[in-house]
Amino acid sequence: MGEEAGGDGEFDRFSAEDCDSTGEEDERVIDWEVGLPNGEDLTPLFQALVPPELASAFCVTPELPRTALDVHRASQYTISKLRRAAPSAAATAALGSFFPFPSEESETVAFEIDDPAEEGESSVRISRLGPVSPSAALEETEPSVPLPDDPRVDPSARNPKRPRLAWTPQLHKRFIDVVAHLGVKNAVPKTIMQLMNVDGLSRENVASHLQKYRLYLKRMKVPEEPQSPTDHHLFPSIPPVTKSMPEQHMSTSIPYPLPAMMHVPIFGMAPPNMYASPIGMAPGVGHQGDGACHALEKRHFNGAFKRD
DNA sequence: CAATTAATAT
DNA sequence: AATATTAATT
């Protein structure tokens, strides 16, 4: 199970070429194919994975050769099975009983990519419904012949050019949830990053956000000179940190159920309606069903950080 | 090496 | 304005 990661974030998504696209398969779930090797990289169906000699040497019965029909049948089965059962969090094992919630809210956390080549308001939202790949969103044209250093060859290889991360409300919420779980005192970039379990999210992404978040908390805590009536409206009284008890690490007992932490595809997507979540920055305790702070800004959660 | 913070860059 | 990056410090 756990895999770790000490490593740095790697980019191992995309590259889902146009692995064929005969429109004959209506049941096809493109989403699942992203990142998978294409047909040419896979062992042909008729070829046994284990050579006969090896198989006999280890007393294993060689698998029967499969046909495309077998594959198709298996696909149908899998699809129909998954159709009725919502995906249960597969990657929640990281911390024991941490996020045992299978979750109804299949969260879609989206990354927004700011096209580096452009200025100003140029964030591109990638629709999860489309076969659009992140790389497609970042490349203006597509040379028919991949250059030696073509990013598509091996995105996981050092790809220093990571697109600028946009902290969408979903991502931010995940961040907040994790920090709350850890306790503000224990929440450090690496751990947060791991717990957030967002594909492509780097430690420095988190560190940067965390720094900002802490500044925000600081402001909240010591409002020395009570804020001008003008910036009062956005933030109702939200005691920033665990105020009641001397600060300790309360990693257990989360006041509210965390959304299941599932692997989040780097470019998921959120329907255009996504800005509905009020990002109250209550670090420790929550706001859950109650519509506590409805600061409702249209632009990301920034309204919450903003001083005004 | 990782974390923190402040400063600075894009 | 939001994030990234860097430098200095722990």
Side-chain angles (χ1 to χ4, degrees):
Chain A
M1 316 167 194
E3 311 346 330
E4 72 301 50
D8 24 72
E10 308 247 324
F11 272 23
D12 45 47
R13 52 243 143 98
F14 50 105
S15 77
E17 312 282 272
D18 44 314
C19 13
D20 123 329
S21 46
T22 62
E24 23 142 350
E25 302 192 39
D26 47 342
E27 291 289 76
R28 199 142 172 181
V29 181
I30 302 296
D31 249 357
W32 299 350
E33 300 183 8
V34 173
L36 294 177
N38 62 36
E40 285 149 15
D41 299 337
L42 296 171
T43 302
L45 281 172
F46 57 81
Q47 185 180 323
L49 290 173
V50 180
E53 317 84 55
L54 197 57
S56 64
F58 287 87
C59 303
V60 303
T61 62
E63 56 217 303
L64 325 149
R66 301 294 165 75
T67 69
L69 184 60
D70 293 317
V71 173
H72 186 261
R73 237 188 265 122
S75 295
Q76 293 296 314
Y77 173 72
T78 301
I79 290 170
S80 61
K81 193 167 118 191
L82 292 179
R83 277 277 166 74
R84 70 195 55 148
S88 58
T92 62
L95 279 105
S97 63
F98 232 57
F99 311 116
F101 314 91
S103 113
E104 326 280 309
E105 60 179 291
S106 63
E107 293 206 353
T108 4
V109 176
F111 268 21
E112 275 184 12
I113 300 306
D114 264 14
D115 191 323
E118 196 143 348
E119 297 247 3
E121 156 108 20
S122 63
S123 54
V124 177
R125 297 204 205 336
I126 319 274
S127 166
R128 122 215 274 242
L129 298 178
V132 178
S133 78
S135 52
L138 297 176
E139 291 169 30
E140 43 271 29
T141 57
E142 189 174 333
S144 48
V145 176
L147 302 171
D149 56 36
D150 190 294
R152 287 170 301 177
V153 169
D154 185 356
S156 67
R158 66 321 223 75
N159 189 339
K161 287 331 257 168
R162 248 203 270 216
R164 182 189 173 99
L165 170 67
W167 285 90
T168 60
Q170 284 82 5
L171 262 187
H172 179 66
K173 179 175 188 303
R174 200 162 262 236
F175 169 86
I176 294 299
D177 286 344
V178 168
V179 170
H181 263 132
L182 291 171
V184 188
K185 292 308 217 263
N186 294 341
V188 296
K190 197 182 187 182
T191 309
I192 297 171
M193 176 194 66
Q194 289 168 156
L195 260 46
M196 284 181 72
N197 194 28
V198 171
D199 205 9
L201 184 66
S202 72
R203 187 171 57 82
E204 26 281 287
N205 285 145
V206 174
S208 182
H209 198 63
L210 181 60
Q211 181 171 24
K212 200 176 161 192
Y213 179 62
R214 283 173 171 160
L215 287 174
Y216 161 79
L217 292 182
K218 194 174 292 185
R219 291 202 339 251
M220 296 303 282
K221 198 147 46 159
V222 194
E224 29 193 87
E225 180 109 9
Q227 18 196 222
S228 54
T230 51
D231 48 61
H232 202 94
H233 51 330
L234 282 183
F235 312 103
S237 51
I238 312 172
V241 180
T242 97
K243 220 197 145 176
S244 45
M245 262 177 28
E247 32 220 60
Q248 315 182 354
H249 3 62
M250 36 79 91
S251 40
T252 59
S253 92
I254 297 106
Y256 57 92
L258 267 190
M261 298 304 209
M262 1 186 304
H263 278 299
V264 173
I266 178 154
F267 300 119
M269 170 325 282
N273 56 357
M274 65 186 288
Y275 294 121
S277 70
I279 314 250
M281 304 289 261
V285 257
H287 45 143
Q288 178 150 253
D290 75 309
C293 18
H294 277 215
L296 229 342
E297 272 316 74
K298 39 179 75 253
R299 210 50 196 168
H300 296 162
F301 63 88
N302 305 317
F305 274 150
K306 214 169 72 162
R307 199 192 202 105
D308 169 80

